[in-house]
């Protein structure tokens, strides 16, 4: 961490965590970014993918062959650039003093990451014509195929030879600029570059941007993937991290969640360290942003240890790391193999205790515990036959309780999902707590818990 | 910059006035070291209940001699210490790990709640428990109450400035001095150790409301009479002269104007000092506008709609309310509209420089803020002195009222600024309907007539304010009576704040003004 953190802020980065984060960073090196010794791979544009016989099919049953069509028709990534031309974006740009959102590098870095200057346009040989603006050229495709799968200059031709490409090792493919998006770590990192922000590439939705009207980023890998229109068939054995599982228990969502937590937190840490004083986007929004009320449930629930009036840091990206660490050997899991049934059950028991003790009763911390439990519970229910009867009952009880928690975490009937949890008050906190308590009791009654 | 071409005569007048006034202003109404606190008991001997002796001596024509009784029976200031012992007070102390009996940790509470200022000796336990006592506002009394100097009729003919510098008595009738005394607690003064930190607020200390001294004084149980209400007394003519009294002066409107300047002065001083001396990664949050951060996030936000005055969004500004009344004094100090336009532009530029220093980076640029703040403070001094030199007649009150109504239509004011505007508007509206005689009538019937005219006017204005719902929407009535619990009124106040609609206020204030305007 570059600047010394202010002493009043609870920073506490446990060492094993850093090691885990570093190992992930290491695992990612060379998979996505071009290596320094050669010029960066060039983009060719998504038009080259769109042929009907390649990825532009109209398949309704299975995504294979229709990847481009799904992306262009259903995926909001395809509209990332045109977003910058609409009214809300214009107003955001105006408040920030930008001439236009679709010409501002700050915006284009995520909304149209490929081309944002004439020089770059000249370097690339896009099949689709980039749009010329007053300040240069931009790619109007938004976040397109190559943004995740890698610039296709070198691998476009080889990958058309299907049989040979299939037998090409991933390392060889990566040497051509292709990215292994089946790897959860690589994938999470790609998402996090924009959806969390990246200090290296200068992508950040900071407090200025949020105050100008940009939605706050709240990335959670597993639920984001679940909500994205999949242009792939989600098969657990695709992910190298999962295919190595030995006990036949497929913890797809739990692993996705865990990888997402680690990668997002690593990105978050770097962003935090990149600015001094810390940018306010890294605090819990609702630590400050709540109407002043009397009586105040916040006063009632204050932690004895927390210093009054000091905003809490990183409650979105860092809330689960210590739990993850204490329950499973993160490093081993990510490097060696999938989470086992025992890992997942251990994690669930840990979450059940954490939920009931949930000390910082903020909307953000509560939502993170909810998302974690949701991922784990889905895996448990999917692998029901492998559970002992007591755990099966507990998993079903948890699913019920989570449904009830979700309703209480949702923002008040707003059609625009940007409002704050205005009625996240003492009553909701108490009701949510009751449900978490119900989950804790359900798991404390299981044989696994008793056997420990 | 002391801009503006003034006529030489006006300049001389201003300079003379400034000289008198400057020496009369205690820098922060702090008594000089040799003077000592005597305690409430020494005042109570005489100011509790007038004895026959004083009636015979006609002392009661000058002073009621029931001040101490009113204070101890009705005034919330007398409860200030006891608030610390309530459930809320105890909870705050616990959260902040403050032990009230302890010498060091409790001073941050007792500086305001019992007038135990930084670097001053701790008041005796009995005095501490009396809260904000006589000497907190009138000055420590060892040199004027003991020996009984102030009981002599000759005391009245002393210049207020001498009373302070030579004897330690604060000239609480002077609007600037009074505003400084009030503001030292009601806004804060780090030199005196009076500063409610964000940590204290977050532990549960009720938010400080904006302060308009005339309104605050008006809602307080009065233990004083204005000069206009007093029958003749010994040495009256000299008293009026040394106190700069002018019969045709609307003292309350004058108090609004100068109180408005002082509010910004106190806020600026607090901000500059906190920025210069604060030890954290950023200045204490308490010097910024609470509601800049403390609002629910919503997609239909009037803040986004209003914009951020050309500054980057997301950088909390200083409280807006403290600057809203300053233009009144600027206009009053100016000879005409053209001069006002010029000096107002100068003020706006200096204020903007402060805002820019604050917005340069989140929570301000520590180098630029004190510089910009000092420039603004210098300008405010000049305005204050020039405004003090001119009487506030009925026309001036009317013009000020019209300015407020027009300003409100041009800007988006937040809840606290709107309260400040509405409080000021009410005082000005009362004066705008009263024409004062050139010379004070000293006969009892004439005084009564004057008082009754003021009462009638006040009733009319209050009815208009109540009918417009401004009273209710802005909670203009302060919890100033002994029976009003401040924590008890917080739920309604904070609800009103979160439900406040700036657009509604713009229309309503203008409408209200039209109704109270005297043709």
């Amino acid at each position: 961490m570059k600047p010394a953190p202010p002493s009043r802020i609870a920073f506490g980065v446990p060492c094993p965590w850093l090691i885990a984060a570093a190992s992930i960073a290491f695992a990612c090196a060379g998979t996505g970014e071009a290596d320094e010794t050669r010029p960066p791979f060039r983009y060719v544009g998504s038009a080259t993918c769109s042929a009907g016989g390649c990825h532009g099919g109209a398949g309704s049953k299975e995504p294979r062959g229709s990847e481009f069509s799904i992306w262009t028709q259903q995926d909001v990534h395809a509209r990332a650039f045109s977003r910058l031309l609409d009214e809300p974006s214009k107003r955001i740009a105006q408040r920030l003093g930008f001439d236009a959102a679709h010409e501002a590098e700050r915006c284009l870095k995520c909304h149209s990451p490929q081309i944002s200057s004439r020089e770059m346009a000249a370097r690339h040989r896009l099949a689709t014509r980039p749009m010329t603006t007053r300040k240069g050229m931009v790619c109007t495709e938004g976040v397109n195929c190559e943004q995740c799968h890698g610039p296709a200059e070198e691998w476009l031709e080889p990958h058309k030879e299907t049989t040979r490409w299939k037998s090409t090792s991933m390392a060889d493919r990566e040497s051509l600029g292709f990215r292994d998006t089946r790897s959860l770590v690589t994938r999470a990192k790609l998402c996090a570059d924009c959806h969390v922000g990246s200090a290296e590439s200068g992508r950040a939705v900071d407090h200025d941007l949020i105050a100008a009207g940009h939605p706050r980023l709240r990335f959670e890998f597993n639920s984001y993937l679940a909500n994205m229109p999949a242009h792939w068939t989600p098969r657990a054995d695709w992910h190298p991290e999962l295919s190595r599982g030995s006990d036949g228990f497929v913890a797809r969502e739990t692993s996705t969640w865990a990888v997402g937590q680690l990668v997002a937190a690593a990105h978050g840490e770097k962003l935090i360290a990149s600015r001094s004083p810390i940018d306010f986007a890294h605090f819990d929004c609702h630590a400050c942003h709540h109407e002043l009320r009397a009586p105040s449930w916040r006063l009632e629930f204050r932690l004895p240890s927390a210093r009054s009036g000091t905003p809490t840091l990183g409650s979105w990206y860092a809330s689960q790391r210590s739990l993850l660490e204490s329950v499973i050997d993160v490093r081993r899991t990510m490097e060696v193999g999938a989470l086992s049934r025992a890992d997942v059950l251990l994690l669930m028991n840990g979450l059940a205790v954490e939920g009931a003790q949930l000390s910082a009763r903020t909307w953000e911390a509560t939502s993170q515990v909810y998302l974690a439990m949701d991922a784990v519970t889905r895996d448990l229910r999917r692998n029901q036959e492998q559970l002992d009867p007591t755990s099966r009952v507990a998993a079903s009880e948890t699913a019920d309780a989570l449904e009830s928690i979700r309703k209480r975490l949702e923002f008040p009937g707003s059609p625009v999902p940007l409002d704050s949890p205005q009625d996240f008050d003492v009553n909701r906190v108490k009701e949510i707590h009751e449900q978490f308590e119900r989950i804790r009791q359900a798991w404390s009654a299981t044989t696994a818990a008793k056997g420990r | 910059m002391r801009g503006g071409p003034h006529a030489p005569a006006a300049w001389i007048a201003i300079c003379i006035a400034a000289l008198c006034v400057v020496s009369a202003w205690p820098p922060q109404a702090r008594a000089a070291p040799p003077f000592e606190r005597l305690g409430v008991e020494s005042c109570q001997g005489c100011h509790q209940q007038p004895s026959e002796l004083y009636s015979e001596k006609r002392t009661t024509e000058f002073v009621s001699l029931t001040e101490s009784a009113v204070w101890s029976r009705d005034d919330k200031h007398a409860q200030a210490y006891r608030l610390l012992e309530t459930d809320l007070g105890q909870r705050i102390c616990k959260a902040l790990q403050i032990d009230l009996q302890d010498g060091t940790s409790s001073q941050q509470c007792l500086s305001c709640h019992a007038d135990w200022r930084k670097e001053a000796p701790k008041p005796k336990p009995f005095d501490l428990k009396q809260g904000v006592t006589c000497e907190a506002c009138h000055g420590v009394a060892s040199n004027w109450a003991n020996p009984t100097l102030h009981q002599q009729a000759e005391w009245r003919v002393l210049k207020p400035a001498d009373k302070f510098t030579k004897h330690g008595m604060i000239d609480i009738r002077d609007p600037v001095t009074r505003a400084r005394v009030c503001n030292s607690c009601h806004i804060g003064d780090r030199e005196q150790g009076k500063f409610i930190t964000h940590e204290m607020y977050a532990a549960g200390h009720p938010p400080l409301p904006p302060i308009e001294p005339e309104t605050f004084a008006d809602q307080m149980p009065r233990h004083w009479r204005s000069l206009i209400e007093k029958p003749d007394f010994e040495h009256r003519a000299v008293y009026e002269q040394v106190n700069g009294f002018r019969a045709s002066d609307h003292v309350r409107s004058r108090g609004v104007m100068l109180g408005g300047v002082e509010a910004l002065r106190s806020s600026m001083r607090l901000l500059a000092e906190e920025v210069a001396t604060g030890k954290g990664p950023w200045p204490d949050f308490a010097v910024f506008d609470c509601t800049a951060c403390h609002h629910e996030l919503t997609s239909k936000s009037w803040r986004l709609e209003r914009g951020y005055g050309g500054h980057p969004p997301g950088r909390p500004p200083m409280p807006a309310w403290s600057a809203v009344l300053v233009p009144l004094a600027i206009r009053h100090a100016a000879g005409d509209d053209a001069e006002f336009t010029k000096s107002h532009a100068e003020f706006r530029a200096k204020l903007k420089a402060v805002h820019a220093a604050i917005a340069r980076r989140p929570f301000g640029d520590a180098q630029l803020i004190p510089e910009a703040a000092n420039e603004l403070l210098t300008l405010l001094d000049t305005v204050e002195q020039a405004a003090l030199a001119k009487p506030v007649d009925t026309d001036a009150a009317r013009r000020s009222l019209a300015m407020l109504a027009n300003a409100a239509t041009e800007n988006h004011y937040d809840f606290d600024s709107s309260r400040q505007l509405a409080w000021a508007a009410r005082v000005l509206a009362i004066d705008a309907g009263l024409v004062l005689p050139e010379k004070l009538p000293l006969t009892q019937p004439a005084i009564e007539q004057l008082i009754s005219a003021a009462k009638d006017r006040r009733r009319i204005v209050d009815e208009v304010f109540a009918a417009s719902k401004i009273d209710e929407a802005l909670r203009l009535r302060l919890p100033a009576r002994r029976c009003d619990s401040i924590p008890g009124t917080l739920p309604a106040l904070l609800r009103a704040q979160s439900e406040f609609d700036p657009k509604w206020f713009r229309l309503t204030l203008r409408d209200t003004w039209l109704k109270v305007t005297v043709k």
Side-chain angles (χ1 to χ4, degrees), chain B residues 141-431:
Chain B
S142 63
N143 206 275
W144 48 274
N146 185 24
T148 53
L149 176 63
H150 78 299
Q151 293 173 15
Q152 315 302 319
E154 287 69 29
W155 173 255
R156 280 175 216 165
V157 303
L158 277 184
K159 280 185 197 158
D162 291 342
K163 286 182 185 170
F164 178 70
T165 50
K166 293 186 184 154
H167 305 285
M169 184 195 242
I170 293 170
D171 181 17
I172 204 72
R173 283 192 185 278
D174 173 75
V176 170
T177 307
R178 186 187 54 179
R180 288 184 187 181
V181 170
C182 301
N183 291 354
S184 73
C185 286
H186 286 271
I187 290 176
D189 183 332
R190 298 211 36 180
E191 257 177 44
Q192 298 182 24
K194 298 171 173 176
F195 181 43
I196 308 182
T197 60
H198 186 253
E199 190 183 15
M200 290 158 86
Y201 284 124
H205 192 292
L208 285 184
I211 174 167
E212 194 291 287
E214 284 304 330
T215 305
F216 274 49
D218 185 46
Q219 298 198 14
M220 237 176 110
R222 259 169 33 128
H223 60 255
W224 63 88
R225 284 175 296 174
S226 68
L227 203 49
I228 231 168
E229 295 164 315
K230 290 182 184 183
D232 201 6
F233 55 82
E234 206 178 345
H235 299 308
R236 175 158 192 141
V238 191
Y239 180 85
E240 286 182 8
Q241 194 200 338
V242 296
N243 282 282
F245 179 78
R246 288 170 292 218
S248 59
D249 230 4
H250 281 298
V251 283
R252 302 193 57 220
S253 291
R254 172 189 291 284
V256 166
M257 290 176 184
L258 295 163
V261 177
E262 278 304 315
L264 185 57
R265 259 188 69 99
S266 301
S267 302
M268 290 315 321
R269 278 175 48 98
L270 198 65
L271 173 74
E273 217 176 308
E274 171 55 27
V275 168
T277 59
K279 291 180 190 72
W282 40 66
D284 194 283
F285 293 156
V287 295
F288 298 95
D289 174 9
C290 308
T291 57
C293 302
H294 289 304
H295 58 79
E296 292 290 352
L297 301 173
T298 161
S299 36
K300 279 185 219 140
S301 158
W302 64 262
R303 289 178 178 83
L304 281 176
E305 199 183 304
R306 173 202 62 189
Y308 300 91
H311 300 305
R315 316 218 168 149
M318 61 181 226
W321 69 265
S322 58
V324 294
L325 296 181
V326 179
L328 299 183
I330 297 179
R331 176 62 188 89
H332 188 64
D336 53 27
D337 284 341
E339 201 186 317
F340 166 68
T341 310
K342 191 168 168 289
S343 41
H344 186 235
E346 202 184 318
F347 164 69
R348 302 273 312 163
K350 294 224 190 298
L351 184 63
K352 207 173 160 130
V354 176
H355 283 299
I358 296 173
R360 215 173 124 88
R361 45 182 285 182
F363 292 103
D365 184 310
Q367 261 81 51
L368 291 182
I369 290 175
E371 283 170 28
N374 282 330
E375 287 241 332
L376 182 60
L377 286 171
T378 311
L379 179 135
L380 292 179
D381 278 345
T382 317
V383 168
E384 211 161 59
Q385 289 160 27
L388 261 173
K390 291 167 77 177
V392 180
D393 55 17
T394 303
D395 282 344
R398 286 181 189 168
R399 191 176 53 215
S400 298
L401 181 62
M403 274 178 75
L404 288 190
N406 290 326
T409 58
E410 287 156 14
N411 296 299
H412 244 103
Y413 287 107
D414 63 9
F415 182 72
D416 278 352
S417 301
S418 303
R419 290 180 102 191
Q420 187 79 345
L421 288 172
W423 279 328
R426 185 180 156 277
V427 176
L428 294 168
I430 294 171
D431 285 353

Side-chain angles (χ1 to χ4, degrees), chain A residues 207-208 288-289 302 308 419-420, chain B residues 199 202 293-294 297 299 314-315:
Chain A
H207 191 251
D208 287 359
C288 304
H289 289 302
R302 184 186 321 289
S308 113
D419 292 359
S420 50
Chain B
E199 190 183 15
C293 302
H294 289 304
L297 301 173
S299 36
R315 316 218 168 149

Side-chain angles (χ1 to χ4, degrees), chain B residues 1-78:
Chain B
M1 276 200 269
R2 286 145 217 274
H6 298 280
W11 255 116
I12 292 165
I14 289 167
C15 292
I16 293 171
L19 277 177
C20 307
V21 162
V22 165
S23 54
W25 287 347
Q28 275 302 299
R30 190 166 53 169
F35 308 134
E36 280 165 28
R37 185 196 305 270
L38 294 182
V40 181
E41 290 154 298
S42 73
C43 310
Q44 277 170 336
C46 302
H47 291 269
Q48 190 78 10
Q49 175 74 45
S51 67
E52 272 178 34
L53 174 70
Y54 288 119
S55 310
E56 278 163 25
K57 278 170 71 187
R58 292 177 60 208
T59 308
T60 46
E61 287 175 355
F62 180 71
V63 54
S64 315
L65 293 178
T66 55
E67 294 76 12
S68 189
V70 172
W71 169 82
S72 68
R73 191 186 60 228
D74 299 329
D75 200 310
K76 283 185 97 71
H77 289 96

Side-chain angles (χ1 to χ4, degrees), chain A residues 325-341:
Chain A
E325 236 167 58
S326 65
V327 174
I328 54 173
D329 183 345
V330 175
R331 196 173 163 194
R332 182 191 60 81
T333 308
M334 293 305 138
E335 281 177 357
V336 183
L339 296 170
S340 66
R341 183 182 57 188

